[in-house]
């Protein structure tokens, strides 16, 4: 059963790698003038990931085991992404990323870094009033 899983994973990686070569060239041409990662970028309709250099590597190495939505819903700095990758390697049988680890970390730490969002600013100068019974 393990060998079948390994064959399927290898086939998936080859397929995504082939597609990555085609897609990266297209993405780089479309976004080569935008060097600012805070600039809104298009989202890949299939994966839901930010279309940018490195997306195909992330899809190739991450989505054989889990949904890309798991990537998109998480935010971490580079150290946090390294920690998550190490945890997956130690406990979930994620393979060694080798030469692809740096570009994967570049992508994740650029496009899925912590954001300074949060709650809205507190309301100020509000005249509150009490509701009376029967006020609906």
């Amino acid at each position: 059963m393990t060998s079948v899983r390994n064959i399927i994973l290898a086939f998936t990686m080859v397929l995504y790698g082939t597609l990555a070569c085609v897609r990266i060239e297209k993405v780089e041409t479309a976004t080569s003038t935008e060097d600012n990662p805070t600039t809104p970028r298009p989202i890949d309709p299939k994966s839901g990931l930010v279309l940018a250099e490195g997306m195909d590597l992330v899809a190739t190495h991450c989505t054989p085991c889990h949904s890309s939505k798991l990537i998109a819903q998480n935010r971490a700095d580079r150290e946090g992404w390294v920690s998550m990758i190490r945890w997956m390697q130690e406990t979930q049988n994620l393979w060694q990323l080798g030469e692809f680890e740096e570009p994967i970390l570049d992508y994740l730490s650029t496009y899925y870094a912590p954001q300074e969002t949060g709650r809205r600013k507190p309301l100020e100068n509000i005249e509150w009033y009490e509701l009376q019974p029967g006020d609906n």
Side-chain angles (χ1 to χ4, degrees):
M1 190 69 163
T2 304
S3 63
V4 172
R5 182 175 182 258
N6 289 342
I7 291 169
I8 291 171
L9 284 174
F11 176 76
T12 304
M13 290 176 65
V14 168
L15 177 63
Y16 272 112
T18 304
L19 295 174
C21 295
V22 174
R23 181 177 271 164
I24 285 175
E25 182 179 324
K26 183 178 178 185
V27 170
E28 285 179 346
T29 1
T31 61
S32 61
T33 59
E34 298 178 347
D35 293 329
N36 184 351
T38 61
T39 302
R41 298 222 180 222
I43 302 295
D44 178 52
K46 183 179 176 192
S47 69
L49 296 173
V50 174
L51 277 170
E53 186 175 356
M55 184 205 80
D56 290 303
L57 284 174
V58 169
T60 299
H61 290 278
C62 301
T63 60
C65 297
H66 60 74
S67 167
S68 58
K69 290 180 182 180
L70 190 59
I71 301 162
Q73 75 185 17
N74 284 288
R75 299 249 168 212
D77 58 12
R78 189 177 195 89
E79 187 176 301
W81 284 112
V82 168
S83 175
M84 284 186 252
I85 288 170
R86 295 295 175 262
W87 176 82
M88 287 183 273
Q89 288 171 331
E90 292 167 8
T91 65
Q92 306 300 309
N93 295 322
L94 174 63
W95 49 87
Q96 294 299 315
L97 299 174
E99 66 185 89
F100 301 117
E101 184 167 291
E102 287 302 311
I104 287 171
L105 287 169
D106 290 343
Y107 175 85
L108 293 172
S109 62
T110 300
Y111 301 106
Y112 295 97
Q115 292 180 325
E116 290 296 323
T117 59
R119 301 188 69 167
R120 64 167 168 71
K121 195 173 142 187
L123 299 173
E124 297 175 0
N125 302 323
I126 301 295
E127 290 186 37
W128 296 101
Y129 60 91
E130 289 186 38
L131 291 174
Q132 301 300 319
D135 289 348
N136 293 26

